[in-house]
Amino acid sequence: MTVTGEETTRGVTGPWWWARWRSAVLDGSLALVSALECGAEGIPFARDAGIPVSLGIVFGLIAGSVLLVRRKWPIAVVLVAIAITPAEMGFLMGIVGLYTLASCELPRRVIGALAGMSLLGTMIVTFVRVRQSMARGDLTLGDWFVPFAAVTTSLGLTAPPLLLGLYVGARRRLMESLRERADSLERELQLLAERAEERAEWARNEERTRIAREMHDVVAHRVSLMVVHAAALQAVARKDPEKAVRNAALVGDMGRQALTELREMLGVLRAGEDVGGWRGAGVPLAAVREAAAAAASRVVDEAGSGEGPCLSELDELIGQSAAAGMVVDLSVVGEVRSYAAVVEQTAYRVVQEALTNVHKHAAGAKTHVRLAHRVSEIAMQVENEAPPEPGSAGAVGLPSGGNGLVGMRERVVGLGGVFVSGPTDAGGFRVSAVIPAA
């Protein structure tokens, strides 16, 4: 498993510049061996140079211990190894220094220059020493052996550590790039997960809003009419028993219709766990929305069977309001034609909610419903005049949650239309909407 960059940073537990104690122990051991080697090689160097042996040993120990800082200053280690090459000291330090230099994040020209200096220095020293040995008679080979020994020795001491260091450095950089890529992918996955949670939360809120809007549109209109009829029933119960009976029958019919529609809506929400085989695992929001919208968009008639509301049912809708005592007239302009189901349902709901608001806030006010069929759009306007009495707006005590206008605007804007509402100069209220036909 890979480790993230933060975990790598937290994993630095070694002393000074070492990332781990294991690395510090390894470098310390190599420095100790190099110091002992250089100290031993300092004895013949002191004799050849004519200096005290103790000074040669101390010089060798100090020079060999430089290997301790190979991870911090690899260039310095290689330069020291090149500098003591004429004294035939620091072979281990030169090999380890070249390996460390090649595996570090240094420019290739620097690595090549130092490797070339080490190769040239080793070659010259080997050439001189072998030639001196042949001159003293220690070696009886031909003159060809001198350059051969110099080249092979210098290449043997320089090429293997250099190539191994380049390979290890490339592999290390590859692993670091893979680790960084894994870190970036992990961050991207976390970001995607957060965005998915945000989208899921937004979708849940959107579905709640849509379901609440559907339930409001389905139930609010009929319940408002029921309250209006109940108030009229209370007023005429003693004066006109026959009218009271008719109002009571209307209240009962509307109550049954509202209960039927509400039961369908709640039934969809409760039985939604069986939709699509999601029993016990939660209901897909899209399935709930579609089923709820389908149930909410059905206007149930007295027999309990229903179909989606359309513009052809506006006469019945206006007749219900007229039966509740509202003076309302309908005017249609343009050639009557059919539209997409969602367009007709939205237009119907806008008129329905506007009439409900008149019942709530302007009881007894004359209302005008205008419908215009145009070439590429359908327009509707519901405008009521000022109520006959200032106190009649709240005479029937209808509550208002303030969601009617918001729901109408959301429906119309969702279809790419325009919705405008506000009071008129004459003291009434006007609701206008334009919906594209396509």
Side-chain angles (χ1 to χ4, degrees), residues 22-23 32 48 81 101 118 155-156 208 357 426:
R22 181 178 61 185
S23 302
L32 178 61
D48 295 341
L101 178 71
S118 177
L155 288 177
R208 294 190 189 102
N357 288 340

Side-chain angles (χ1 to χ4, degrees), residues 222 253 256-257 260-261 299-307 316:
R222 300 194 184 279
D253 292 340
R256 283 190 295 271
Q257 292 173 3
T260 302
E261 294 171 356
V299 178
V300 182
D301 58 13
E302 298 174 352
S305 63
E307 47 187 41
E316 180 183 356

Side-chain angles (χ1 to χ4, degrees), residues 83-228:
I84 62 177
T85 298
E88 295 185 281
M89 299 170 59
F91 293 102
L92 177 62
M93 182 169 60
I95 294 174
V96 177
L98 283 176
Y99 163 78
T100 307
L101 178 71
S103 63
C104 287
E105 296 288 342
L106 291 173
R108 292 298 177 87
R109 60 179 182 274
V110 176
I111 298 176
L114 292 176
M117 292 171 59
S118 177
L119 176 68
L120 184 60
T122 306
M123 185 182 301
I124 294 174
V125 171
T126 305
F127 183 87
V128 172
R129 292 300 183 183
V130 172
R131 190 173 185 83
Q132 289 177 352
S133 298
M134 292 186 67
R136 288 194 305 264
D138 297 339
L139 295 174
T140 58
L141 299 174
D143 293 340
W144 61 269
F145 183 73
V146 178
F148 174 78
V151 172
T152 54
T153 302
S154 59
L155 288 177
L157 293 177
T158 305
L162 184 67
L163 296 177
L164 181 61
L166 291 174
Y167 166 75
V168 172
R171 185 174 181 276
R172 183 183 302 157
R173 286 188 291 272
L174 175 62
M175 295 301 296
E176 289 178 355
S177 66
L178 292 177
R179 185 179 297 112
E180 291 176 358
R181 186 177 302 177
D183 293 343
S184 64
L185 288 176
E186 183 179 356
R187 288 191 294 269
E188 289 179 4
L189 288 176
Q190 292 177 352
L191 182 60
L192 289 176
E194 293 176 357
R195 289 181 178 176
E197 292 179 0
E198 292 177 357
R199 286 195 297 268
E201 182 64 26
W202 175 85
R204 285 192 291 267
N205 294 335
E206 184 69 15
E207 297 310 318
R208 294 190 189 102
T209 302
R210 291 186 181 183
I211 292 174
R213 184 171 62 242
E214 296 291 346
M215 296 184 69
H216 174 272
D217 291 343
V218 167
V219 180
H221 179 72
R222 300 194 184 279
V223 173
S224 300
L225 292 179
M226 289 171 58
V227 175
V228 172

